[in-house]
Amino acid sequence: MSVPGLRIPEEADLRTTLRSPTVAARVGVWLGLCFGIAFLTGLYSHALQSPPGWFTPLTRPVWIYQFSQGLHYLTGVACVPLLLVKLYAVYPRFFVRPPWQDRRAMLLHGLERGSIGLLVAAAIFQVASGLANSSQWYPWLVFSFRSTHYAVAWVVVGSLVVHIAVKLPVIRTAFAAPVDEGEEKSSGLSRRGLLRTTYVASGLAVLSVAGGSVPRLRRVSVFENHYVPGGGVPINKTARVAGVTAAATDPGYVLAVAFGDQEVELTLADLAELPQVTERLPIACVEGWSASGDWTGVRLRDLLPLVGAPAGSAVLATSLQEDGPYTSSELAGNVADDPLTLVATGLDGEPLSLDHGFPCRLIAPGRPGVLQTKWLGRLEAT
Ligand SMILES: Nc1nc2c(c(=O)[nH]1)N[C@H]1C(S)=C(S)[C@@H](COP(=O)(O)O)O[C@H]1N2
Ligand SMILES: [Mo]
């Protein structure tokens, strides 16, 4: 039955010079590159937060995680215009009529459609969930952001590999001819024009948020809100929101340091008597901003001998904060032993503020912000 005047369009009805493999393939290359970089940097970030047994975190250069996570975030943001234009260029394919008559062709068709459906859904999910997370909008009521974003990353990469393999002949043909081949002179947008607009849009999208890590770009980064007027390290979660104000300002505060059944309790005065160092280190939040500060405090490795823990022991750092996802973090042996890994009590020449982790917080090179535990209560060597 068909309704007069109402007909499901066919692919050929929707093809235009812009909605063509020529455009799709070119945008696809950039999209593949951005997804590839986001995938690798994402794997690295995930490994730091859920380290497999064989994994040793890198601590030099000190900005290695700031760099890799900055790339992760910015390539993800660059994907927004690229993905939209890519979908625009290929959507006529959505209306391809299945080859019902031929069972073999039907099977292949189904596989191809299935893998593309998976790829499109997974790619949209990655970009959307990453953006939501970076804007601290957490509609993650039923699933955890990190484990889901990680799992779906594998779906993207798997279906992308299949997609590229299947489309290789189309991609080859698309690149064999000049961009404007077969294009009639018209007053409308040309393929070159669309491609240029897409790349400019991606560049602008990156600039609109890059100020979260690149101070010079602050003034153009209209979507970046982690900027502290006058400079300095932003505050991710305040003591009030974390519910630690009472515990952190308790005059009886002590930092417990333990190894096996050995334990010492250090007051702030005890900490102040140990050798002090000041090091410039970045905080690089997984959510896409980073900032460096001059952190003053005691080297973590100088605390271990107080409880007889051998150099190179791994350390579990626990916050005074009771609930929340970041109340403790583990330091691999090489990180705990690093001379730049500090129990900080000062930032930028001032005593550490309550919101930055007073009485003391962890700061170490090459670590995701989520592992730079604030309001330390206990350090346990293992
Ligand atoms: N106890 C505790 N430590 C924490 C957090 C937290 O919520 N609770 N947030 C972490 C995150 S996500 C980041 S990015 C850094 C930010 O440190 P800052 O607020 O001093 O910039 O602290 C980390 N340490
Ligand atoms: Mo963070």
Side-chain angles (χ1 to χ4, degrees):
M1 196 196 80
S2 72
V3 185
L6 221 160
R7 187 180 66 89
I8 298 176
E10 295 197 25
E11 184 187 9
D13 305 335
L14 297 165
R15 280 260 169 259
T16 62
T17 81
L18 298 182
R19 294 196 287 260
S20 62
T22 315
V23 169
R26 285 171 173 81
V27 174
V29 168
W30 287 104
L31 200 52
L33 189 74
C34 287
F35 263 102
I37 295 174
F39 179 66
L40 295 176
T41 49
L43 286 188
Y44 184 61
S45 184
H46 190 77
L48 285 167
Q49 295 173 72
S50 301
W54 49 264
F55 182 75
T56 306
L58 300 169
T59 55
R60 294 293 182 283
V62 296
W63 42 264
I64 184 165
Y65 183 77
Q66 182 179 32
F67 182 76
S68 88
Q69 191 62 10
L71 269 184
H72 183 80
Y73 177 54
L74 296 180
T75 50
V77 168
C79 282
V80 175
L82 293 171
L83 188 56
L84 289 173
V85 174
K86 171 86 177 170
L87 293 176
Y88 166 80
V90 299
Y91 93 80
R93 297 283 302 152
F94 195 68
F95 295 92
V96 172
R97 295 288 190 270
W100 298 113
Q101 271 68 34
D102 181 344
R103 285 184 66 184
R104 214 184 92 89
M106 197 56 208
L107 181 73
L108 283 176
H109 179 83
L111 285 175
E112 191 239 9
R113 299 282 90 185
S115 72
I116 288 189
L118 204 59
L119 174 58
V120 170
I124 292 175
F125 177 84
Q126 287 304 80
V127 172
S129 62
L131 280 182
N133 189 67
S134 73
S135 22
Q136 298 193 306
W137 179 49
Y138 303 114
W140 325 113
L141 301 174
V142 286
F143 55 83
S144 122
F145 167 72
R146 185 158 64 87
S147 48
T148 315
H149 198 69
Y150 174 72
V152 177
W154 287 98
V155 177
V156 171
V157 165
S159 49
L160 189 56
V161 168
V162 173
H163 177 61
I164 293 171
V166 169
K167 294 292 176 186
L168 214 50
V170 181
I171 300 172
R172 282 226 183 91
T173 315
F175 276 101
V179 183
D180 50 9
E181 174 160 282
E183 222 176 7
E184 282 153 37
K185 280 250 178 298
S186 77
S187 53
L189 186 62
S190 67
R191 286 187 197 130
R192 275 188 214 286
L194 175 63
L195 289 173
R196 227 178 282 132
T197 309
T198 308
Y199 304 145
V200 168
S202 269
L204 287 177
V206 166
L207 287 179
S208 77
V209 295
S213 297
V214 187
R216 281 179 199 201
L217 295 177
R218 252 169 211 162
R219 304 192 53 189
V220 295
S221 289
V222 290
F223 291 131
E224 169 48 47
N225 55 1
H226 293 102
Y227 167 58
V228 189
V233 179
I235 288 157
N236 179 276
K237 186 175 268 183
T238 62
R240 192 178 57 79
V241 172
V244 293
T245 309
T249 55
D250 183 343
Y253 169 82
V254 285
L255 172 67
V257 182
F259 176 60
D261 48 17
Q262 295 266 55
E263 179 159 338
V264 295
E265 293 187 332
L266 303 172
T267 63
L268 276 183
D270 295 333
L271 277 177
E273 268 167 31
L274 291 162
Q276 304 290 308
V277 291
T278 296
E279 304 287 358
R280 187 153 187 86
L281 292 169
I283 292 243
C285 181
V286 295
E287 287 158 3
W289 59 267
S290 60
S292 290
D294 292 314
W295 303 90
T296 301
V298 176
R299 290 191 172 117
L300 176 60
R301 69 197 256 181
D302 289 349
L303 297 179
L304 299 191
L306 305 179
V307 287
S313 303
V315 171
L316 175 67
T318 313
S319 175
L320 298 170
Q321 183 188 354
E322 277 167 11
D323 326 295
Y326 311 129
T327 52
S328 69
S329 70
E330 274 179 61
L331 297 103
N334 73 311
V335 181
D337 196 41
D338 195 290
L340 297 184
T341 295
L342 309 185
V343 172
T345 50
L347 169 59
D348 292 334
E350 308 271 340
L352 199 63
S353 69
L354 189 53
D355 290 335
H356 276 305
F358 174 88
C360 65
R361 66 126 10 116
L362 203 66
I363 180 84
R367 250 161 113 71
V370 292
L371 302 182
Q372 311 279 30
T373 310
K374 305 201 276 192
W375 313 292
L376 284 176
R378 187 178 174 84
L379 296 168
E380 184 152 6
T382 53

